[in-house]
């Protein structure tokens, strides 16, 4: 049983529209709080989108994700998992970016996550654009390369943009592989689709051994079969999960900067996260929620619902490890 201090505020005690919004109504702790040593999973915001190359807005994502997460309750309705009774969770706040300096912002993110890793806390992140994943991986994968299960409509494996710019939300995993943070043979990308400029990113994936599952294959095989392969590719070794909300069809998740039609529905979006059960997840992110393109908040609510599914799998894994 977890420490009751780390239990969320119940909607039966304080209405969901009241109080200061934190991720899933959890207690907020700073990294210098002495209770950090008791935290097992830390929910973190990275409100930064300086890697965006077209429609900006994900810098506002963490705030709306927190607001919509007040609707998350104590128990998973499908699996019965009650994660907050299994692991100590807390909202560790936001990494403060420097919106005027891309590299300084990435350094700030890595330094923040270095402290999280040193405290033996598993980070579950709400972004931010997808470039946020690179500085997070610099903290998590600096000693040994990680595997990765990546849900997206884009590979984010491009060499560069605009004739030489190497750091955008379309390049983080090319850089991560080049820096030795990811083992490409333990990386699987699911849901890839849309029009393209060329095949440079897919050619790189083929050359280094990244498994790319295009949306046509996903729909033909179904989530269960695809996720069985993803779990096999990840194996039992440490694995990062990166979930771009534009994996989901824009009919269900319009609030994102680079939508692509033909994707999964919202049920399948939750299903693939649920089917991560058994993966050795050492960190995860949900990125590219852009509130300016979805004033209803439905995209952010789907995003935090996906984060909750990932959290349930973390709770199951940590609970088994502690037995």
């Amino acid at each position: 049983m977890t420490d009751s201090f780390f239990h969320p505020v119940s909607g039966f005690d304080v209405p969901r529209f009241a109080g200061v919004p934190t991720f899933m109504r959890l207690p907020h702790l700073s990294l210098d709080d002495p209770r950090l040593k008791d935290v097992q999973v830390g929910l973190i915001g990275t409100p930064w989108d300086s890697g965006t190359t077209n429609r900006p807005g994900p810098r506002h994502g963490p705030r709306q994700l927190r607001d919509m997460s007040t609707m998350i309750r104590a128990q998973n309705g499908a699996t019965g998992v009650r994660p907050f009774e299994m692991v100590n969770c807390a909202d560790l706040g936001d990494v403060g970016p420097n919106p005027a300096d891309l590299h300084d912002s990435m350094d700030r993110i890595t330094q923040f996550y270095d402290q999280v890793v040193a405290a033996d806390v598993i980070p579950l992140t709400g972004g931010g654009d997808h470039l946020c994943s690179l500085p997070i991986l610099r903290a998590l994968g600096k000693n040994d390369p990680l595997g990765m299960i990546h849900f997206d409509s884009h590979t984010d494996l491009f060499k560069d943009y605009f004739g030489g710019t190497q750091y955008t939300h379309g390049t983080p995993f090319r850089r991560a592989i080049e820096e030795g943070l990811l083992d490409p043979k333990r990386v699987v990308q699911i849901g890839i689709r849309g029009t393209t400029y060329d095949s440079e990113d897919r050619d790189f994936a083929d050359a280094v051994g990244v498994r790319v599952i295009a949306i046509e294959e996903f729909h033909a095989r179904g989530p269960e079969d695809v996720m069985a392969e993803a779990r096999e590719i990840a194996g039992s070794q440490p694995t990062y999960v990166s979930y771009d909300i534009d994996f989901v069809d824009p009919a269900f998740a319009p609030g994102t900067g680079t939508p692509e039609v033909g994707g999964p529905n919202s049920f399948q979006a939750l299903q693939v996260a649920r089917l991560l059960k058994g993966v050795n997840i050492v960190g995860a992110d949900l990125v590219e929620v852009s509130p300016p393109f979805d004033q209803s908040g439905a995209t952010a609510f789907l995003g935090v619902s996906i984060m909750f599914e990932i959290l349930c799998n973390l709770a199951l894994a940590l609970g088994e490890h502690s037995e």
Side-chain angles (χ1 to χ4, degrees):
M1 193 70 175
T2 55
D3 186 335
S4 61
F5 172 80
F6 294 103
H7 288 192
V9 176
S10 170
F12 289 142
D13 297 328
V14 179
R16 298 187 179 279
F17 53 81
V20 177
T22 60
F23 275 119
M24 303 182 196
R25 309 194 92 190
L26 290 162
H28 170 251
L29 298 181
S30 63
L31 293 185
D32 58 2
D33 191 299
R35 299 207 68 153
L36 183 66
K37 64 180 175 55
D38 299 317
V39 177
Q40 294 164 281
V41 178
L43 286 81
I44 300 163
T46 53
W48 182 62
D49 62 4
S50 293
T52 301
T53 56
N54 185 20
R55 305 196 305 175
R59 67 181 62 186
H60 303 291
R63 183 168 293 185
Q64 192 179 47
L65 286 165
R66 282 190 174 89
D67 195 20
M68 299 308 295
S69 77
T70 61
M71 287 299 297
I72 298 296
R73 300 177 180 87
Q75 181 167 311
N76 188 310
T79 65
V81 174
R82 298 176 66 86
F84 307 114
E85 296 178 7
M86 301 170 69
V87 291
N88 289 336
C89 306
D91 186 328
L92 302 185
D94 284 345
V95 183
N98 176 354
D101 189 321
L102 183 149
H103 289 284
D104 182 50
S105 289
M106 288 199 291
D107 288 344
R108 292 177 184 216
I109 294 170
T110 299
Q111 290 164 14
F112 187 101
Y113 282 80
D114 279 339
Q115 295 178 72
V116 172
V117 171
D120 201 25
V121 175
I122 295 177
L124 177 55
T125 303
D129 73 36
H130 222 148
L131 186 56
C132 294
S133 300
L134 177 59
I136 295 171
L137 287 168
R138 286 174 174 170
L140 272 66
K142 64 182 177 182
N143 294 322
D144 294 294
L146 304 174
M148 182 176 69
I149 299 177
H150 173 204
F151 303 98
D152 207 323
S153 59
H154 314 98
T155 66
D156 297 347
L157 289 173
F158 287 96
K159 180 181 179 182
D160 54 47
Y161 277 47
F162 309 111
T165 300
Q166 295 198 327
Y167 297 96
T168 78
H169 64 168
T171 67
F173 302 125
R174 180 73 161 258
R175 301 289 89 81
I177 290 170
E178 291 171 348
E179 293 178 23
L181 308 172
L182 291 175
D183 175 358
K185 292 182 173 54
R186 293 185 53 240
V187 172
V188 56
Q189 302 184 313
I190 303 168
I192 307 305
R193 62 187 187 275
T195 57
T196 65
Y197 295 109
D198 54 37
S199 62
E200 187 266 330
D201 60 325
R202 296 288 293 271
D203 293 341
F204 175 80
D206 291 342
V208 299
V210 172
R211 172 71 166 109
V212 177
I213 299 176
I215 197 63
E216 291 80 10
E217 182 178 352
F218 176 86
H219 285 311
R221 293 173 57 188
E224 294 92 345
D225 192 37
V226 166
M227 290 306 297
E229 182 184 355
R231 293 192 300 270
E232 182 178 354
I233 290 170
S236 61
Q237 296 171 278
T239 300
Y240 193 75
V241 173
S242 192
Y243 201 126
D244 188 325
I245 199 67
D246 73 29
F247 167 74
V248 188
D249 192 276
F252 302 93
T256 192
T258 315
E260 301 287 356
V261 298
N265 61 32
S266 56
F267 174 74
Q268 293 168 319
L270 297 174
Q271 190 179 18
V272 294
R274 196 171 296 154
L275 290 168
L276 290 165
K277 182 180 179 181
V279 177
N280 182 6
I281 302 173
V282 295
D285 62 48
L286 184 286
V287 298
E288 296 285 359
V289 170
S290 185
F293 298 108
D294 182 13
Q295 297 297 318
S296 73
T299 304
F301 183 48
L302 176 57
V304 295
S305 299
I306 291 165
M307 291 175 72
F308 181 74
E309 293 289 348
I310 296 171
L311 176 61
C312 287
N313 282 323
L314 286 171
L316 287 170
L318 290 167
E320 291 173 0
H321 183 70
S322 65
E323 290 178 357

